[in-house]
Amino acid sequence: MSGRLAVLMLFFLLPGLVMAMAGQAASAPPPGTLAQLTVSRLDPEPPPVAVIDGASDAGFAPVAGGIIHEFTPRPRWWRITADRWVSATDQPQLVLHSPGHNRVEAWLPGSSAPITRALLGPDADHGFSSRGLVIPLPSGLAAGESIYLRVQSPVSTPMAVSIESLYEVHRADLAHVAWRAVLLGGLALMALLALGFWIGIGERGYAYLSLGMLAQVGFFATHSGDIRMVPALAEQLGADWRLPRLFVVAIAILSVVFLTRYLDMRVRQPALWKMVSVCVALFAIFTVSTWLSEAEWVPVVGNLILLLGAVLIMVAAVHGCLQRRRSAYFVLVAWLPMMALLIVRVGETSGLWSGPPWLMHALPGTLVLAGLVFMIGLSDTLQQLRRDRDRASRLASVDVLTGSMSRPAIQNRLQACVEESHRRRIPMSVVFFDIDRFKRINDEYGHGIGDSCLKIIALRTRNRLRTYDSLGRWGGDELLVVLPDTHLEEAMGVAENLRSAVNCRPLSIDGHLFDASLSLGVAELAEGETAAQLLDRVDAALYASKAAGRDRVTGRLVATAAPG
């Protein structure tokens, strides 16, 4: 009960945690900034001359949070103003964080020509990492002076703004490159592992997981500019802002297919499965619609639909946890942090708040964590399958009633011992026995008493065998003993020991006492003899014991070697 309560508390505390993260991020200034900046936006689009000479300054309206965020692809003017003097000795740089596919033209104080920057394409500055667009301020910036930006944003992508020293920019770039290499490399490695599991065990769900992770690598590489590390790909694919959205649609579809299969939602939760499928289909439609429509509400609605689908998967996972299904626990652990960051990201792109600076690393990091959790979940599934297989194998090789080996198992053991005996030229013998007058016990007392009688006799005889001997039920009340590395004389002694173990004292079953005895046949493997021929001879020895009056051991010698 406490486990279920913990799951529910974790699920319902998630929105509060997310709002706290977003609020803290919105109030914190960008790290390493040399001055507090005021960010203002101009709604109409006058010509550059009318903006740079200050004629349009009255039309700029301050933006809360200091974030540059455009919701339509039409170019817009922005103004950045510092609250204090920024010295040129610090080699200050204007940094526009996580620009995505935004293209920026910057007019510095006293300059009539713009500096154009983008992560990809001919305006890319490869002297800095892809964490942001960097614009040098060689003359510094006086308090109250403004930098004018003309921002074109084909995809709604918020950019935090800061002024940092060149040293701080390079330091942050090194950390960024290291993190991106680890995270994107981790995603690619998890994709390869999932692909290997699919090839190895044939579970198609892990093919979807592998493709989904590769799509995630493609999205982060094209959206965040990491693809420019491969110039040939960057030239062909990087500049098209639609490609990341195709990756997003692929990620959504592949992830949902994997998760619904992993949770078996189609069978266990068909209503939720249909709702999640509808959400993914609508999200794909709205995402593609952004290519045709500039309406601000289209991407917002698409993001909300995606978020609804994620919530439905969380509900399915929580429901599965309450039913104590192991797969649901793995989904909850993997999906919960991703869900929190997805809420932050959707709110950020929708303009509800500004996300934390580390979100660009945290999101792929949670995806790596999710992949690792699902790999562990697969290992757990494989362990359970192996345990089930071993259990089934044991059930197939053990006779349930007597606890001895089943007939197929003792046949395999006999064949293996015959082959080894011929190969190594070592002796081998078998003992074949049944219970005297066993049919009469069944007829007079019933099969329940007969089964108990057979179980006790199997136990007594098994306790008299050596550790490397094998006892198996051949059928009915007949049992076969395989004695490797044993000559006939020694096997006769083993058989006598088995006979005395049974007839030494009566069997006590349900208040009844039964005198029981065994008839046994013994035979040693002859040179060139097959397992079937050996069984024929030991069976004849058993019937010789019965014909001679039962409760005795008969050894069967062979005068000549059996033909090869």
Side-chain angles (χ1 to χ4, degrees), residues 83-227:
D83 67 336
R84 68 174 71 96
W85 178 60
V86 177
S87 173
T89 59
D90 292 325
Q91 294 181 288
Q93 312 287 317
L94 177 67
V95 182
L96 307 173
H97 298 265
S98 305
H101 280 77
N102 292 347
R103 182 176 179 273
V104 177
E105 296 174 276
W107 278 265
L108 304 183
S111 173
S112 59
I115 299 174
T116 306
R117 288 287 186 269
L119 280 184
L120 298 162
D123 299 319
D125 184 358
H126 295 278
F128 298 94
S129 75
S130 60
R131 78 181 180 101
L133 305 180
V134 180
I135 300 171
L137 304 176
S139 303
L141 195 66
E145 261 190 329
S146 298
I147 302 170
Y148 295 96
L149 304 178
R150 189 168 182 265
V151 178
Q152 186 172 12
S153 188
V155 181
S156 173
T157 305
M159 296 187 296
V161 184
S162 65
I163 296 179
E164 304 172 9
S165 68
L166 184 61
Y167 168 80
E168 182 65 25
V169 170
H170 285 319
R171 187 197 65 80
D173 279 356
L174 289 174
H176 172 83
V177 171
W179 274 109
R180 299 303 284 184
V182 170
L183 295 174
L184 295 183
L187 276 175
L189 177 60
M190 290 299 167
L192 291 176
L193 285 175
L195 182 64
F197 281 131
W198 170 56
I199 295 173
I201 66 174
E203 172 52 51
R204 191 168 56 184
Y206 281 86
Y208 297 126
L209 178 62
S210 176
L211 293 175
M213 288 186 169
L214 289 176
Q216 290 163 12
V217 173
F219 168 74
F220 289 114
T222 54
H223 176 72
S224 302
D226 300 291
I227 197 173

Side-chain angles (χ1 to χ4, degrees), residues 226-477:
D226 300 291
I227 197 173
R228 68 185 188 174
M229 299 300 293
V230 186
L233 290 178
E235 183 178 350
Q236 297 295 325
L237 305 175
D240 192 344
W241 61 269
R242 294 171 296 183
L243 187 58
R245 297 210 163 181
L246 284 179
F247 280 125
V248 168
V249 173
I251 292 168
I253 294 174
L254 292 167
S255 298
V256 165
V257 171
F258 168 74
L259 288 169
T260 54
R261 284 176 63 93
Y262 192 76
L263 291 172
D264 199 16
M265 288 178 62
R266 190 169 186 174
V267 174
R268 296 177 180 271
Q269 299 156 318
L272 279 177
W273 176 77
K274 291 178 181 178
M275 293 170 66
V276 170
S277 301
V278 170
C279 285
V280 171
L282 290 175
F283 171 73
I285 292 172
F286 274 91
T287 301
V288 174
S289 297
T290 59
W291 302 353
L292 307 174
S293 173
E294 296 182 1
E296 296 183 11
W297 61 270
V298 174
V300 173
V301 172
N303 287 334
L304 292 177
I305 291 173
L306 176 63
L307 187 59
L308 175 60
V311 170
L312 292 174
I313 290 177
M314 280 292 298
V315 171
V318 170
H319 184 261
C321 289
L322 298 180
Q323 294 180 332
R324 301 186 182 279
R325 287 192 282 123
R326 296 177 66 87
S327 60
Y329 287 107
F330 286 106
V331 171
L332 189 64
V333 171
W335 202 248
L336 194 60
M338 196 177 350
M339 176 83 172
L341 292 177
L342 184 62
I343 292 175
V344 173
R345 182 60 180 170
V346 168
E348 183 184 40
T349 56
S350 301
L352 299 178
W353 52 62
S354 58
W358 43 261
L359 185 62
M360 66 187 308
H361 299 316
L363 197 53
T366 57
L367 293 172
V368 173
L369 174 63
L372 180 61
V373 170
F374 285 128
M375 293 301 107
I376 296 174
L378 175 61
S379 300
D380 178 76
T381 302
L382 292 178
Q383 288 283 356
Q384 185 62 43
L385 290 174
R386 189 168 70 176
R387 286 191 291 267
D388 293 343
R389 181 201 62 194
D390 292 343
R391 181 173 179 272
S393 179
R394 286 194 301 271
L395 290 176
S397 62
V398 175
D399 180 68
V400 178
L401 178 62
T402 63
S404 58
M405 298 174 71
S406 63
R407 177 162 178 166
I410 196 65
Q411 281 180 316
N412 292 336
R413 175 64 175 159
L414 173 65
Q415 183 64 40
C417 286
V418 167
E419 292 174 358
E420 183 181 16
S421 178
H422 288 319
R423 185 178 64 255
R424 297 177 55 193
R425 297 185 178 277
I426 58 175
M428 175 213 157
S429 299
V430 293
V431 177
F432 196 34
F433 67 88
D434 67 3
I435 303 171
D436 295 331
R437 301 181 178 85
F438 184 70
K439 184 176 183 302
R440 188 177 67 186
I441 295 176
N442 277 330
D443 292 342
E444 292 184 8
Y445 297 98
H447 288 279
I449 296 292
D451 288 347
S452 298
C453 177
L454 183 58
K455 189 183 303 183
I456 294 172
I457 290 175
L459 178 62
R460 288 188 183 182
T461 53
R462 188 167 59 247
N463 289 338
R464 295 295 183 94
L465 295 175
R466 299 164 297 187
T467 55
Y468 51 85
D469 298 333
S470 301
L471 172 68
R473 186 180 180 189
W474 195 255
D477 63 324

